[in-house]
Amino acid sequence: MEDNAVLRESNRILNKLHLLSAFFEDEIVYKIYLRTQVIHRLYESNPELDVNKLELFHVQFTSAVIDLLKKIKKINERNTSLLFEEIQLNKDLIQSVKDSDFNLADFNNDKQRQALRINNSLRRLYEVLSSDTDEYPFVKNINAFSARYAQDYFFDISAETLAQLTEYNPNEVYTHASVIIERKLMGKACKYDFRTEFYCGLKTGNLAIEVYKFIDEDTYYVFNPQRNLLLLCDEELLKTIDQASEVTRNERIIQELLDKNDQLQSSAALARISIPAEVKALLAENYKKITDINFLQNIAGFDAQANILKTMLNTDII
C-alpha cells in the first residue's frame, strides 16, 4: 500500500513536469520529463526495487526542477503581461489617432473651399486697396485651414526654405493695416480675374504656409496665414521640395505602432517560454547525470546537484 502511495505521488509529479515541458517547449525540459518517466516506470514495473529511492529521487531532483520552472513561468507571465499591456495601449492610441484624423476626402474638399476663400479675399483686398479703406479684406475662418490640416497633409520644409519663401522687399509690396501683398501678385490676380487653386501646403515646426497656383498659367504664390502675407513664389524653389510621399503624419504614427506591436507580439511569445541560459545549462548537466547508467545506484548522493537547483530559486538569475 505504501508503495502504491509513492507511485501515485510519482505520477502526480510526472503530470506536473509534463505540463511544464509542454509550456516551455524546451528540448532539455522535455528530455528530463522523458527520463523521469523512464525512472518512474522502472520502479513501477519492478516491485523488487526499493520504491523509497524513487521518492528520494523526486524529493532531491524532480521537485526542485518543478519549483524552479514554476517560478520561471510565473516571472515570464508577469513580464509578458507587461508587454501585452503595452500592446493594448498602442491599440488604444491607434484608435485614438484614427478617430482624430481627418481623412483625405475632407482635405480635398476643403482645399477647394480654401482656394475660393483666398480668391474672394484677393478680390476684396484689391477693392480695399483701391478705395484706400481700413476694412479687413479676408473672409471668415481663412486661417482655420492650415490650423486643421498642416500637421497631417502639409509637406515638411526647412526653416531656411520657409524664410526664402516669405522674404520680401518692402518697396515691392502693398502694405495694408492687416495684410501685406506683393505688387506683382496683385497685378496678376487682377489680370487673371482672381482665379487660383490650392497647390500644396508647407510646414516647418508649428509654422505653415499655403501655396497657390494661377489656373491660367504656371505662376505660384504663397499665403502665410500667421502674418497675412501674400508673395509670388519661385517655381524652381518649389521643385526642390520633396512632395513624393502622401503618407500623412497620422498614418506614419499608425504604421509605426502596428510595427511596434508586431515586435512586441514576437517578444511576448519568446519571453513567455524563455528559460535563462544559466538554468538551461544546469538542467542539461542534471539531465546528463540522471541518464548515467550508475545513477540509480548513486541516487542518494544527488544532494549537491539538488541543492544547486534549490539555490537558484533564491537568486536573481531568474
Side-chain angles (χ1 to χ4, degrees):
M1 194 70 171
E2 181 184 343
D3 290 356
N4 289 337
V6 171
L7 290 173
R8 284 198 300 273
E9 179 60 24
S10 179
N11 264 318
R12 283 193 288 270
I13 290 172
L14 271 174
N15 288 336
K16 292 179 182 178
L17 192 56
H18 185 211
L19 290 172
L20 287 166
S21 70
F23 174 84
F24 284 104
E25 301 176 0
D26 187 88
E27 182 182 7
I28 192 61
V29 177
Y30 187 63
K31 283 182 176 180
I32 288 173
Y33 161 69
L34 291 179
R35 180 57 182 168
T36 305
Q37 189 177 51
V38 168
I39 293 171
H40 168 86
R41 288 179 178 174
L42 185 65
Y43 281 96
E44 189 177 47
S45 305
N46 296 276
E48 70 277 8
L49 295 177
D50 183 2
V51 78
N52 291 314
K53 288 188 176 182
L54 175 62
E55 184 178 27
L56 181 61
F57 165 69
H58 286 318
V59 169
Q60 289 186 330
F61 176 70
T62 320
S63 295
V65 169
I66 289 173
D67 289 343
L68 189 59
L69 291 176
K70 284 170 68 176
K71 182 177 181 181
I72 294 171
K73 180 175 180 288
K74 186 176 181 179
I75 292 171
N76 288 357
E77 288 173 342
R78 184 170 65 242
N79 291 338
T80 54
S81 71
L82 294 175
L83 293 175
F84 285 125
E85 285 179 15
E86 185 176 352
I87 289 171
Q88 186 56 51
L89 287 173
N90 288 341
K91 287 181 179 179
D92 293 342
L93 183 56
I94 288 170
Q95 189 57 51
S96 176
V97 171
K98 286 181 177 178
D99 291 342
S100 64
D101 192 21
F102 299 101
N103 63 42
L104 190 58
D106 289 337
F107 175 59
N108 287 332
N109 289 334
D110 280 351
K111 281 195 303 186
Q112 299 176 30
R113 297 189 186 98
Q114 180 67 358
L116 183 60
R117 293 189 193 99
I118 288 289
N119 292 338
N120 289 336
S121 296
L122 283 172
R123 189 183 299 275
R124 289 175 58 178
L125 177 59
Y126 174 74
E127 294 170 356
V128 166
L129 291 173
S130 298
S131 59
D132 194 24
T133 67
D134 291 334
E135 179 185 350
Y136 185 70
F138 286 152
V139 300
K140 185 179 179 182
N141 294 330
I142 197 167
N143 297 338
F145 179 77
S146 284
R148 185 178 188 184
Y149 292 110
Q151 287 303 311
D152 290 330
Y153 293 100
F154 283 23
F155 299 105
D156 288 310
I157 58 173
S158 67
E160 291 77 12
T161 301
L162 180 69
Q164 285 181 274
L165 290 168
T166 55
E167 65 181 358
Y168 62 91
N169 184 337
N171 296 323
E172 297 177 355
V173 300
Y174 291 116
T175 301
H176 183 260
S178 54
V179 182
I180 296 174
I181 183 170
E182 190 170 346
R183 292 173 183 267
K184 289 182 179 179
L185 172 57
M186 189 80 269
K188 282 188 174 292
C190 291
K191 178 180 179 180
Y192 293 105
D193 195 27
F194 307 98
R195 298 177 65 248
T196 68
E197 62 186 355
F198 182 86
Y199 178 70
C200 72
L202 305 173
K203 72 176 189 298
T204 178
N206 294 322
L207 300 176
I209 58 175
E210 300 163 17
V211 181
Y212 293 85
K213 175 185 175 298
F214 283 91
I215 292 176
D216 298 316
E217 71 164 43
D218 290 336
T219 299
Y220 301 82
Y221 66 94
V222 299
F223 168 56
N224 184 329
Q226 288 90 5
R227 298 167 58 189
N228 285 345
L229 175 67
L230 294 136
L231 302 171
L232 285 170
C233 176
D234 184 359
E235 184 180 356
E236 293 303 313
L237 184 57
L238 287 179
K239 290 178 181 179
T240 67
I241 297 169
D242 180 14
Q243 301 182 38
S245 173
E246 294 185 358
V247 179
T248 70
R249 179 182 66 92
N250 283 0
E251 287 173 336
R252 288 196 296 271
I253 291 173
I254 289 173
Q255 189 57 55
E256 288 170 3
L257 289 171
L258 289 172
D259 292 343
K260 178 65 174 176
N261 273 1
D262 286 342
Q263 295 172 9
L264 289 171
Q265 288 280 9
S266 298
S267 297
L270 294 174
R272 178 176 175 271
I273 60 174
S274 174
I275 299 176
E278 296 88 344
V279 175
K280 290 183 71 169
L282 181 59
L283 291 176
E285 184 181 341
N286 280 275
Y287 171 72
K288 185 177 179 181
K289 289 184 180 296
I290 66 174
T291 54
D292 191 290
I293 194 168
N294 297 316
F295 168 73
L296 292 176
Q297 285 72 29
N298 300 321
I299 195 169
F302 203 63
D303 283 332
Q305 291 299 123
N307 286 336
I308 295 174
L309 282 169
K310 292 172 183 176
T311 299
M312 276 201 168
L313 286 166
N314 302 312
T315 66
D316 293 330
I317 291 177
I318 57 174

